[in-house]
Amino acid sequence: MDDCIIIGAGPAGLTAAIYLARFHLKIRLLDAGDSRAGLIPLTHNHAGYPEGISGRDLLQRMLAQAERYGAVREAARATAIERNGDDFVVRTPDRALPARTVLLATGVRNHRPDMPDALHDEALERGLLRYCPICDGYEVTDTKVGVIGTDTHGMKEALFLRGYTKDVTLISPDGGHRLDTACQRALDDAGVRRVDGPCGGWAIEGDQLAFDTAEGRLAFDSAYPAMGSHIRSELAVAARARATADGCLEVDDHQRTSIPGLFAAGDVVKGLDQISHAMGEAGVAATTIRNLLDERAPMRR
Ligand SMILES: Cc1cc2nc3c(=O)[nH]c(=O)nc-3n(C[C@H](O)[C@H](O)[C@H](O)COP(=O)(O)OP(=O)(O)OC[C@H]3O[C@@H](n4cnc5c(N)ncnc54)[C@H](O)[C@@H]3O)c2cc1C
C-alpha cells in the first residue's frame, strides 16, 4: 500500500513528489506525459531563472530532484479513483493500486485553434502563438496582438493584453462575436478592434502568424487563443469530489477536496494557472498529507 499516489507529474505533482519523498513516505507518481509546462519555450516569469528556463528543462530538473529522494515517475494513465474505506484504489489500464491518500495534479488542456499540429508547435516555439498573457504578456509589449476568442473570456483577455500594447484585435474563432453591451463598451473604451471569424488558412508568414477572417487575411506578431480549457478533473468528479460548473476542483486552504484523503493541486484546482501557484499548492497538499498520515499512525524512525 502506497502512502500517497500522485497523479500527474507537472510542476504540482513533481513538487509534491519532492516533499513527500523527503518526508520518508512511500509514494507512487503516475504520469501521462503531457504537462502544459512542457509546452513553454522559455519562461521569464518563473522566479530564480533570470535568463529564463524552458518548461522541459524545468520539469527535468524537478524530476531529477524528486528521483534523488527515491521517487520514480511511472508512465501510466490513471483511469479511476475508487474509495475503499479510509483508503483508495487507483486504477490504470492494467493495475489496481491501493493507497492511503491520493493527490490529483492532472492540470488542464487548452482548447486550440483548428490548425495542423506541426504549424501549432512551430508557432508556439517561435512565440507567434501564446496561451498565457500573465506569463508572457511582457514579451509582446508594443507589438501587434490578436486574441482569438469572444464572450466575456475573450474580452477580458483582450483588455489584459491592452496593458502591454495599444494594437489589440479580438477575433471571433467561429463566426460572429457574442458580446453583450457592457463587453462592447469596455472594448470600445480600450480601443480594441473587433473582427468576426471564422478563422482559417493559418500560416506563418515572415515573423507573423497569418489567418483568414470575415474581413480578409490578417497577420499578427503574436496571437493568443482565449478559447477556454478542458479541466482534467474527471477522475475526482467521478469519485464525487465537488467541482465548479466548469470542472475545477474545489479545495479548502489545505488542498483537501470534499473527499477525505483526496487532495488536489495545480491548474486542476480553481486558481491562478501558474507554475508558482501549482508548486505552492503542492507544498501545502504534501505537508497536509504527511500530517494526516501521522495522525492515523505516528511516523517515527
Ligand atoms: C504555452 C504555455 C506557456 C506557459 N508559460 C508559463 C510561464 O511562463 N509561467 C508560468 O508560471 N506558467 C506558464 N504556463 C502555465 C503552466 O504551464 C501551468 O500553470 C503548469 O504547467 C500547471 O502545472 P500542473 O502540474 O498543475 O499541470 P501540468 O503541468 O499540465 O501537468 C499535469 C500532468 O498530469 C498528467 N495527467 C493528466 N491526466 C492524467 C491521468 N489520468 N493519469 C496520469 N497522468 C495524468 C499530464 O500528462 C501532465 O503531465 C504556460 C502554459 C502554456 C500552455
XYZ file of all heavy atoms in Angstrom, residues 164-264:
749
model
N -0.342 45.955 -22.340
C 1.015 45.804 -22.890
C 1.193 46.501 -24.230
O 2.298 46.850 -24.601
C 1.344 44.317 -23.076
C 1.390 43.542 -21.777
C 0.278 42.852 -21.328
C 2.541 43.529 -21.001
C 0.309 42.149 -20.135
C 2.584 42.835 -19.804
C 1.455 42.141 -19.380
O 1.497 41.463 -18.200
N 0.097 46.609 -24.974
C 0.202 47.194 -26.312
C -1.128 47.826 -26.711
O -2.201 47.344 -26.306
C 0.600 46.125 -27.357
O 0.566 46.709 -28.651
C -0.324 44.913 -27.344
N -1.044 48.883 -27.532
C -2.310 49.506 -27.946
C -2.892 48.823 -29.181
O -4.005 49.097 -29.568
C -2.134 51.002 -28.178
C -1.108 51.421 -29.207
C -1.120 52.953 -29.277
C -0.163 53.548 -30.266
N 1.233 53.137 -30.148
N -2.129 47.909 -29.797
C -2.582 47.262 -31.035
C -3.135 45.866 -30.744
O -2.455 44.858 -30.923
C -1.406 47.193 -32.023
C -1.874 46.855 -33.427
O -3.019 46.379 -33.573
O -1.089 47.058 -34.372
N -4.376 45.824 -30.230
C -5.003 44.536 -29.883
C -6.286 44.370 -30.695
O -7.126 45.275 -30.741
C -5.340 44.462 -28.375
C -6.015 43.127 -28.041
C -4.096 44.651 -27.520
N -6.423 43.207 -31.344
C -7.635 42.882 -32.100
C -8.252 41.610 -31.533
O -7.533 40.638 -31.296
C -7.296 42.639 -33.594
O -6.589 43.782 -34.096
C -8.548 42.414 -34.427
N -9.551 41.642 -31.305
C -10.262 40.456 -30.812
C -10.977 39.805 -31.994
O -11.840 40.430 -32.623
C -11.268 40.868 -29.730
C -12.098 39.754 -29.102
C -11.221 38.757 -28.350
C -13.147 40.347 -28.138
N -10.591 38.567 -32.307
C -11.153 37.879 -33.473
C -11.994 36.702 -32.997
O -11.506 35.836 -32.252
C -10.029 37.364 -34.407
C -9.060 38.491 -34.739
C -10.605 36.756 -35.681
C -7.715 38.365 -34.089
N -13.233 36.655 -33.446
C -14.093 35.527 -33.058
C -13.645 34.277 -33.809
O -13.452 34.316 -35.022
C -15.543 35.861 -33.399
O -16.311 34.701 -33.301
N -13.475 33.139 -33.107
C -12.955 31.944 -33.781
C -13.973 31.305 -34.715
O -13.604 30.608 -35.653
C -12.619 30.993 -32.630
C -13.372 31.488 -31.449
C -13.648 32.956 -31.660
N -15.260 31.543 -34.465
C -16.263 30.728 -35.164
C -17.465 31.544 -35.630
O -18.599 31.247 -35.283
C -16.729 29.593 -34.235
C -17.122 30.145 -32.869
O -17.159 31.380 -32.726
O -17.392 29.343 -31.963
N -17.234 32.583 -36.375
C -18.346 33.377 -36.896
C -18.431 34.714 -36.188
O -17.408 35.319 -35.862
N -19.678 35.165 -35.921
C -19.866 36.494 -35.325
C -19.529 36.508 -33.845
O -19.552 35.473 -33.175
N -19.206 37.695 -33.336
C -18.889 37.833 -31.911
C -20.139 37.683 -31.054
O -21.241 38.035 -31.474
C -18.276 39.219 -31.644
C -16.795 39.237 -31.807
N -15.952 38.579 -30.960
C -16.016 39.836 -32.734
C -14.702 38.780 -31.346
N -14.711 39.525 -32.440
N -19.965 37.160 -29.849
C -21.035 37.117 -28.850
C -20.585 38.022 -27.707
O -19.883 37.582 -26.794
C -21.251 35.682 -28.345
C -21.716 34.717 -29.434
C -21.881 33.317 -28.889
N -20.644 32.764 -28.388
C -19.671 32.257 -29.163
N -19.802 32.226 -30.473
N -18.563 31.775 -28.624
N -20.948 39.277 -27.801
C -20.508 40.263 -26.803
C -21.708 41.095 -26.383
O -22.386 41.684 -27.249
C -19.443 41.180 -27.408
C -18.121 40.513 -27.825
C -17.329 41.427 -28.766
C -17.290 40.181 -26.598
N -21.989 41.145 -25.077
C -23.115 41.980 -24.645
C -22.684 43.452 -24.669
O -21.522 43.782 -24.957
C -23.644 41.533 -23.279
C -22.599 41.678 -22.186
O -21.654 42.471 -22.366
O -22.730 40.998 -21.150
N -23.643 44.325 -24.358
C -23.372 45.764 -24.480
C -22.222 46.192 -23.577
O -21.370 47.004 -23.983
C -24.645 46.559 -24.076
O -25.768 45.884 -24.659
C -24.603 47.975 -24.582
N -22.168 45.633 -22.359
C -21.098 46.020 -21.422
C -19.735 45.623 -21.982
O -18.770 46.394 -21.915
C -21.337 45.359 -20.068
N -19.661 44.423 -22.559
C -18.390 43.971 -23.156
C -17.994 44.876 -24.312
O -16.836 45.297 -24.426
C -18.521 42.546 -23.696
S -18.523 41.268 -22.442
N -18.966 45.184 -25.151
C -18.672 46.029 -26.332
C -18.162 47.390 -25.885
O -17.183 47.917 -26.421
C -19.929 46.202 -27.173
C -20.342 44.933 -27.892
C -21.627 45.119 -28.687
O -21.959 46.219 -29.099
N -22.363 44.032 -28.882
N -18.817 47.946 -24.855
C -18.415 49.273 -24.376
C -16.985 49.221 -23.813
O -16.165 50.093 -24.091
C -19.400 49.766 -23.318
C -19.247 51.270 -23.061
C -20.298 51.835 -22.128
N -21.650 51.538 -22.508
C -22.532 50.914 -21.717
N -22.169 50.497 -20.518
N -23.758 50.693 -22.129
N -16.699 48.179 -23.043
C -15.357 48.075 -22.440
C -14.288 47.970 -23.528
O -13.220 48.595 -23.431
C -15.309 46.847 -21.524
N -14.586 47.202 -24.571
C -13.611 47.055 -25.664
C -13.448 48.364 -26.418
O -12.328 48.767 -26.771
C -14.056 45.926 -26.606
C -13.981 44.508 -26.009
C -14.765 43.512 -26.858
C -12.526 44.052 -25.871
N -14.591 49.054 -26.650
C -14.521 50.346 -27.347
C -13.698 51.340 -26.539
O -12.847 52.041 -27.073
C -15.937 50.901 -27.589
C -16.657 50.113 -28.678
O -15.970 49.393 -29.433
O -17.896 50.197 -28.754
N -13.961 51.375 -25.226
C -13.226 52.322 -24.360
C -11.722 52.094 -24.443
O -10.928 53.028 -24.362
C -13.646 52.160 -22.889
C -14.999 52.801 -22.631
O -15.494 53.503 -23.531
O -15.558 52.569 -21.541
N -11.335 50.815 -24.574
C -9.902 50.480 -24.582
C -9.312 50.532 -25.987
O -8.105 50.315 -26.157
C -9.711 49.084 -23.992
N -10.158 50.771 -26.985
C -9.656 50.845 -28.364
C -9.270 49.478 -28.921
O -8.348 49.375 -29.738
N -9.978 48.431 -28.486
C -9.708 47.085 -29.020
C -10.585 46.871 -30.258
O -11.819 46.974 -30.184
C -9.998 45.993 -27.959
C -9.889 44.594 -28.573
C -9.046 46.130 -26.774
N -9.947 46.570 -31.371
C -10.668 46.320 -32.627
C -11.352 44.968 -32.564
O -10.834 44.026 -31.939
C -9.635 46.351 -33.754
C -10.197 46.239 -35.138
C -9.049 46.213 -36.154
N -9.554 45.822 -37.461
C -8.834 45.254 -38.405
N -7.540 45.010 -38.191
N -9.372 44.942 -39.559
N -12.522 44.829 -33.210
C -13.221 43.539 -33.237
C -13.392 43.081 -34.680
O -13.781 43.868 -35.538
C -14.599 43.667 -32.595
C -14.537 43.846 -31.109
C -15.911 43.695 -30.496
N -16.842 44.761 -30.865
C -16.857 45.960 -30.304
N -15.981 46.253 -29.377
N -17.741 46.859 -30.670
N -13.101 41.792 -34.895
C -13.224 41.216 -36.238
C -13.948 39.890 -36.107
O -13.646 39.103 -35.198
C -11.817 41.011 -36.864
C -11.908 40.264 -38.178
C -11.109 42.348 -37.058
N -14.907 39.632 -36.995
C -15.607 38.341 -36.968
C -14.765 37.247 -37.614
O -13.916 37.531 -38.466
C -16.941 38.450 -37.729
C -17.973 39.261 -36.956
O -17.764 39.475 -35.741
O -18.970 39.689 -37.570
N -15.042 35.998 -37.218
C -14.401 34.851 -37.847
C -15.278 34.364 -38.979
O -16.099 35.137 -39.481
N -15.173 33.120 -39.405
C -14.302 32.136 -38.770
C -12.838 32.302 -39.180
O -12.543 32.866 -40.227
C -14.857 30.808 -39.307
C -15.460 31.147 -40.625
C -15.955 32.555 -40.505
N -11.947 31.786 -38.317
C -10.523 31.824 -38.635
C -10.161 30.560 -39.418
O -10.671 29.484 -39.135
C -9.691 31.859 -37.363
S -10.105 33.217 -36.274
N -9.269 30.693 -40.351
C -8.806 29.526 -41.121
C -7.598 29.947 -41.934
O -7.151 31.094 -41.850
N -7.063 29.016 -42.699
C -5.922 29.347 -43.567
C -4.698 29.780 -42.781
O -3.944 30.662 -43.209
N -4.475 29.152 -41.632
C -3.363 29.534 -40.753
C -2.022 29.318 -41.458
O -1.814 28.284 -42.086
C -3.382 28.684 -39.492
C -4.653 28.775 -38.707
C -5.771 28.013 -38.866
C -4.938 29.689 -37.649
N -6.737 28.395 -37.964
C -6.248 29.419 -37.205
C -4.209 30.701 -37.035
C -6.850 30.130 -36.173
C -4.805 31.407 -36.009
C -6.118 31.126 -35.590
N -1.114 30.262 -41.316
C 0.240 30.089 -41.875
C 1.197 31.049 -41.189
O 0.786 32.131 -40.742
C 0.228 30.362 -43.383
N 2.448 30.633 -41.110
C 3.482 31.565 -40.639
C 3.977 32.308 -41.867
O 4.411 31.699 -42.844
C 4.630 30.806 -39.945
C 4.105 30.146 -38.658
C 5.793 31.749 -39.644
C 5.089 29.232 -37.965
N 3.857 33.630 -41.812
C 4.301 34.450 -42.943
C 5.330 35.434 -42.419
O 4.987 36.326 -41.640
C 3.104 35.145 -43.597
C 2.141 34.136 -44.234
C 0.876 34.775 -44.832
O 0.769 36.018 -44.816
O 0.010 34.016 -45.297
N 6.579 35.225 -42.797
C 7.660 36.034 -42.227
C 7.739 35.761 -40.739
O 7.819 34.606 -40.316
N 7.667 36.830 -39.931
C 7.711 36.657 -38.482
C 6.346 36.857 -37.850
O 6.240 37.256 -36.686
C 8.713 37.655 -37.871
C 10.142 37.217 -38.147
O 10.374 35.992 -38.264
O 11.012 38.098 -38.275
N 5.306 36.593 -38.654
C 3.953 36.768 -38.110
C 3.112 35.515 -38.348
O 3.407 34.697 -39.220
C 3.277 37.963 -38.786
C 3.909 39.309 -38.407
C 3.085 40.474 -38.908
O 2.677 40.489 -40.076
N 2.829 41.442 -38.031
N 2.038 35.418 -37.550
C 1.052 34.358 -37.768
C -0.122 34.987 -38.519
O -0.694 35.982 -38.056
C 0.586 33.781 -36.426
C -0.353 32.577 -36.521
C 0.351 31.384 -37.172
C -0.860 32.183 -35.138
N -0.431 34.424 -39.687
C -1.492 34.996 -40.526
C -2.658 34.020 -40.624
O -2.468 32.804 -40.544
C -0.937 35.294 -41.920
N -3.851 34.556 -40.799
C -5.033 33.699 -40.981
C -6.167 34.504 -41.611
O -6.141 35.735 -41.635
C -5.474 33.059 -39.660
C -5.586 33.998 -38.497
C -6.785 34.631 -38.206
C -4.490 34.254 -37.692
C -6.895 35.495 -37.122
C -4.589 35.125 -36.605
C -5.789 35.748 -36.318
N -7.169 33.765 -42.110
C -8.315 34.390 -42.765
C -9.385 34.726 -41.720
O -9.567 33.984 -40.755
C -8.921 33.422 -43.796
C -7.911 33.065 -44.883
O -7.102 33.948 -45.244
O -7.919 31.899 -45.334
N -10.065 35.833 -41.958
C -11.195 36.220 -41.101
C -12.310 36.741 -42.007
O -12.126 36.805 -43.235
C -10.791 37.354 -40.133
O -10.629 38.565 -40.901
C -9.493 37.044 -39.399
N -13.409 37.158 -41.396
C -14.510 37.721 -42.189
C -14.075 39.014 -42.888
O -14.708 39.447 -43.853
C -15.709 37.985 -41.280
N -13.017 39.639 -42.392
C -12.535 40.891 -43.010
C -11.260 40.674 -43.815
O -10.461 41.591 -43.996
C -12.316 41.948 -41.928
C -13.627 42.353 -41.272
C -13.469 43.481 -40.263
O -12.467 44.222 -40.342
O -14.350 43.593 -39.400
N -11.049 39.440 -44.242
C -9.865 39.157 -45.064
C -8.713 38.618 -44.234
O -8.868 38.277 -43.068
N -7.554 38.585 -44.864
C -6.396 37.974 -44.219
C -5.732 38.972 -43.263
O -5.507 40.130 -43.619
C -5.408 37.536 -45.307
C -4.403 36.528 -44.826
C -3.924 35.636 -45.933
N -2.966 34.688 -45.405
C -3.297 33.588 -44.749
N -4.567 33.298 -44.545
N -2.376 32.768 -44.303
N -5.452 38.498 -42.035
C -4.804 39.355 -41.040
C -3.544 38.653 -40.548
O -3.469 37.424 -40.557
C -5.733 39.616 -39.857
C -7.049 40.347 -40.153
C -7.903 40.447 -38.885
C -6.786 41.753 -40.712
N -2.576 39.440 -40.125
C -1.332 38.854 -39.606
C -0.949 39.575 -38.316
O -1.120 40.799 -38.194
C -0.211 38.988 -40.641
N -0.433 38.806 -37.350
C -0.096 39.371 -36.032
C 1.287 38.917 -35.600
O 1.733 37.826 -35.938
C -1.128 38.912 -34.989
C -2.513 39.426 -35.275
C -3.411 38.657 -36.017
C -2.903 40.676 -34.833
C -4.680 39.140 -36.307
C -4.170 41.168 -35.113
C -5.064 40.396 -35.856
N 1.932 39.771 -34.796
C 3.222 39.372 -34.202
C 3.008 38.209 -33.233
O 3.858 37.324 -33.117
C 3.852 40.560 -33.467
C 4.142 41.724 -34.415
O 4.548 41.448 -35.566
O 3.930 42.888 -34.032
N 1.872 38.237 -32.523
C 1.509 37.115 -31.645
C -0.008 36.997 -31.611
O -0.707 38.015 -31.636
C 1.971 37.349 -30.201
O 3.372 37.379 -30.119
N -0.485 35.751 -31.534
C -1.918 35.520 -31.356
C -2.112 34.697 -30.086
O -1.359 33.745 -29.825
C -2.497 34.786 -32.563
N -3.088 35.105 -29.288
C -3.427 34.397 -28.046
C -4.792 33.731 -28.203
O -5.802 34.434 -28.234
C -3.522 35.379 -26.877
C -2.216 35.821 -26.298
C -1.525 36.892 -26.855
C -1.693 35.206 -25.177
C -0.322 37.332 -26.311
C -0.491 35.631 -24.621
C 0.190 36.695 -25.202
O 1.371 37.117 -24.653
N -4.866 32.403 -28.291
C -6.174 31.754 -28.233
C -6.770 31.973 -26.842
O -6.092 31.750 -25.836
C -5.874 30.273 -28.464
C -4.505 30.259 -29.093
C -3.787 31.446 -28.521
N -8.009 32.441 -26.785
C -8.718 32.599 -25.499
C -10.009 31.809 -25.643
O -11.106 32.361 -25.670
C -8.980 34.062 -25.212
N -9.853 30.500 -25.791
C -10.981 29.627 -26.134
C -11.301 28.651 -25.007
O -11.946 27.635 -25.219
C -10.632 28.876 -27.433
C -10.428 29.838 -28.608
S -9.498 29.126 -29.994
C -10.556 27.777 -30.435
N -10.800 28.952 -23.825
C -11.116 28.111 -22.669
C -10.249 26.867 -22.600
O -9.351 26.661 -23.427
N -10.521 26.053 -21.600
C -9.706 24.855 -21.352
C -10.595 23.702 -20.930
O -11.702 23.906 -20.444
C -8.720 25.065 -20.199
O -8.147 26.310 -20.242
N -10.036 22.518 -21.103
C -10.670 21.326 -20.541
C -9.976 21.044 -19.204
O -8.750 20.868 -19.165
C -10.506 20.151 -21.501
C -10.914 18.859 -20.888
N -12.233 18.550 -20.652
C -10.186 17.826 -20.405
C -12.291 17.373 -20.064
N -11.071 16.904 -19.896
N -10.737 21.026 -18.126
C -10.166 20.797 -16.793
C -10.097 19.281 -16.569
O -11.127 18.608 -16.624
C -11.048 21.433 -15.682
C -11.591 22.814 -16.102
C -10.294 21.484 -14.359
C -10.586 23.879 -16.305
N -8.899 18.786 -16.299
C -8.754 17.321 -16.230
C -9.055 16.803 -14.809
O -8.198 16.232 -14.139
C -7.351 16.927 -16.672
C -7.122 17.365 -18.126
C -6.009 16.635 -18.774
N -4.723 17.209 -18.506
C -3.664 17.006 -19.288
N -3.769 16.256 -20.372
N -2.513 17.533 -18.987
N -10.307 17.010 -14.407
C -10.713 16.639 -13.044
C -11.643 15.428 -13.034
O -12.199 15.083 -11.988
C -11.433 17.826 -12.396
O -12.559 18.199 -13.171
N -11.817 14.778 -14.199
C -12.842 13.728 -14.308
C -12.710 12.636 -13.250
O -13.718 12.149 -12.732
C -12.785 13.025 -15.685
C -13.042 13.895 -16.882
C -11.767 14.501 -17.438
O -10.744 14.505 -16.704
O -11.802 14.968 -18.579
N -11.465 12.227 -12.946
C -11.286 11.105 -12.010
C -11.869 11.462 -10.644
O -12.532 10.637 -10.002
C -9.802 10.755 -11.860
C -9.058 10.336 -13.124
C -7.606 10.003 -12.790
C -9.739 9.147 -13.776
N -11.619 12.683 -10.203
C -12.122 13.107 -8.887
C -13.623 13.353 -8.939
O -14.354 13.002 -8.000
C -11.392 14.367 -8.435
N -14.091 13.927 -10.035
C -15.529 14.197 -10.155
C -16.299 12.876 -10.193
O -17.346 12.732 -9.554
C -15.809 15.055 -11.412
C -17.295 15.151 -11.690
C -15.208 16.450 -11.233
N -15.748 11.879 -10.894
C -16.414 10.556 -10.940
C -16.453 9.923 -9.552
O -17.374 9.167 -9.231
C -15.686 9.645 -11.924
N -15.443 10.252 -8.710
C -15.448 9.727 -7.330
C -16.321 10.605 -6.424
O -16.354 10.409 -5.220
C -14.016 9.663 -6.792
N -16.964 11.615 -7.002
C -17.909 12.520 -6.337
C -17.253 13.647 -5.537
O -17.812 14.121 -4.540
C -18.910 11.751 -5.464
C -19.775 10.786 -6.257
C -20.992 10.347 -5.487
N -21.840 9.457 -6.273
C -22.677 9.862 -7.224
N -22.791 11.128 -7.497
N -23.410 8.981 -7.898
N -16.079 14.071 -5.944
C -15.490 15.271 -5.335
C -16.216 16.490 -5.901
O -16.621 16.493 -7.064
C -13.999 15.353 -5.647
N -16.344 17.530 -5.071
C -17.052 18.730 -5.518
C -16.182 19.531 -6.478
O -14.973 19.678 -6.279
C -17.407 19.611 -4.316
C -18.866 19.471 -3.871
C -19.357 20.660 -3.060
N -18.463 21.048 -2.003
C -18.482 20.512 -0.781
N -19.328 19.558 -0.465
N -17.630 20.944 0.133
N -16.839 20.051 -7.524
C -16.130 20.861 -8.526
C -17.023 22.016 -8.942
O -18.239 21.977 -8.748
C -15.767 20.008 -9.737
N -16.418 23.058 -9.515
C -17.213 24.174 -10.043
C -17.910 23.706 -11.324
O -17.604 22.624 -11.851
C -16.300 25.371 -10.387
O -15.382 24.940 -11.408
C -15.528 25.847 -9.180
N -18.808 24.560 -11.842
C -19.569 24.181 -13.040
C -18.631 23.867 -14.208
O -18.914 22.980 -15.023
C -20.509 25.315 -13.416
N -17.491 24.553 -14.298
C -16.588 24.274 -15.423
C -15.585 23.162 -15.122
O -14.729 22.858 -15.951
C -15.885 25.554 -15.915
C -15.162 26.280 -14.803
O -15.209 25.791 -13.655
O -14.553 27.331 -15.073
N -15.678 22.558 -13.937
C -14.872 21.349 -13.672
C -13.677 21.546 -12.764
O -12.959 20.586 -12.481
N -13.408 22.782 -12.299
C -12.266 22.982 -11.392
C -12.607 22.374 -10.026
O -13.694 22.594 -9.492
C -11.990 24.472 -11.200
S -11.311 25.267 -12.639
N -11.651 21.650 -9.463
C -11.916 21.012 -8.169
C -11.943 22.060 -7.064
O -11.123 22.975 -7.038
C -10.843 19.966 -7.871
C -10.946 18.722 -8.741
C -9.795 17.777 -8.454
C -12.286 18.021 -8.545
N -12.897 21.886 -6.165
C -12.979 22.782 -5.009
C -12.148 22.178 -3.889
O -12.296 21.000 -3.572
C -14.439 22.945 -4.575
C -15.242 23.739 -5.589
C -16.702 23.900 -5.200
O -17.059 23.609 -4.033
O -17.481 24.284 -6.078
N -11.276 22.997 -3.314
C -10.440 22.522 -2.208
C -10.488 23.555 -1.086
O -10.822 24.719 -1.322
C -8.966 22.328 -2.640
C -8.821 21.209 -3.645
C -8.373 23.628 -3.179
N -10.134 23.107 0.139
C -10.017 24.084 1.225
C -8.596 24.648 1.220
O -7.809 24.368 0.294
C -10.407 23.447 2.572
C -9.400 22.381 3.012
O -8.346 22.224 2.369
O -9.673 21.695 4.011
N -8.262 25.420 2.259
C -6.947 26.062 2.202
C -5.796 25.112 2.543
O -4.643 25.528 2.642
C -6.899 27.349 3.046
C -7.334 27.113 4.475
O -7.541 25.930 4.839
O -7.463 28.085 5.232
N -6.096 23.829 2.714
C -5.040 22.813 2.832
C -5.050 21.865 1.630
O -4.483 20.783 1.697
C -5.201 22.025 4.133
C -4.909 22.857 5.351
N -3.644 23.014 5.856
C -5.718 23.618 6.120
C -3.677 23.816 6.910
N -4.933 24.207 7.089
N -5.736 22.262 0.567
C -5.816 21.490 -0.689
C -6.604 20.194 -0.542
O -6.437 19.267 -1.321
C -4.412 21.203 -1.258
C -3.546 22.415 -1.487
C -4.179 23.464 -2.399
O -4.267 24.628 -2.049
N -4.621 23.049 -3.563
N -7.473 20.128 0.486
C -8.313 18.942 0.666
C -9.547 19.082 -0.207
O -10.220 20.113 -0.162
C -8.756 18.805 2.134
C -7.606 18.533 3.079
C -8.101 18.395 4.511
N -8.277 19.705 5.105
C -7.804 20.066 6.306
N -7.154 19.194 7.063
N -8.011 21.275 6.766
N -9.851 18.070 -1.019
C -11.115 18.080 -1.758
C -12.228 17.720 -0.779
O -11.982 17.497 0.413
C -11.115 17.058 -2.913
O -11.148 15.735 -2.342
C -9.897 17.206 -3.812
N -13.442 17.587 -1.298
C -14.568 17.233 -0.418
C -14.519 15.760 -0.018
O -15.321 15.315 0.799
C -15.893 17.557 -1.117
O -15.955 16.872 -2.359
N -13.587 14.981 -0.572
C -13.437 13.564 -0.197
C -12.227 13.431 0.738
O -11.096 13.745 0.330
C -13.231 12.673 -1.433
C -14.453 12.759 -2.349
C -12.939 11.232 -1.032
C -14.321 11.946 -3.626
N -12.435 12.988 1.999
C -11.300 12.868 2.922
C -10.197 11.992 2.334
O -10.471 10.896 1.829
C -11.929 12.210 4.166
C -13.396 12.526 4.071
C -13.715 12.582 2.602
N -8.966 12.496 2.364
C -7.838 11.716 1.847
C -7.527 11.976 0.388
O -6.485 11.549 -0.106
N -8.431 12.660 -0.312
C -8.179 13.005 -1.723
C -7.836 14.498 -1.801
O -8.642 15.343 -1.401
C -9.402 12.696 -2.588
C -9.290 13.097 -4.068
C -8.149 12.360 -4.760
C -10.601 12.823 -4.805
N -6.654 14.781 -2.312
C -6.146 16.158 -2.384
C -5.992 16.560 -3.855
O -5.916 15.687 -4.729
C -4.787 16.248 -1.688
C -4.867 15.995 -0.198
C -5.062 14.705 0.299
C -4.766 17.040 0.692
C -5.159 14.483 1.659
C -4.855 16.822 2.055
C -5.051 15.537 2.541
N -5.927 17.857 -4.101
C -5.711 18.327 -5.479
C -4.851 19.580 -5.447
O -4.925 20.375 -4.501
C -7.044 18.619 -6.158
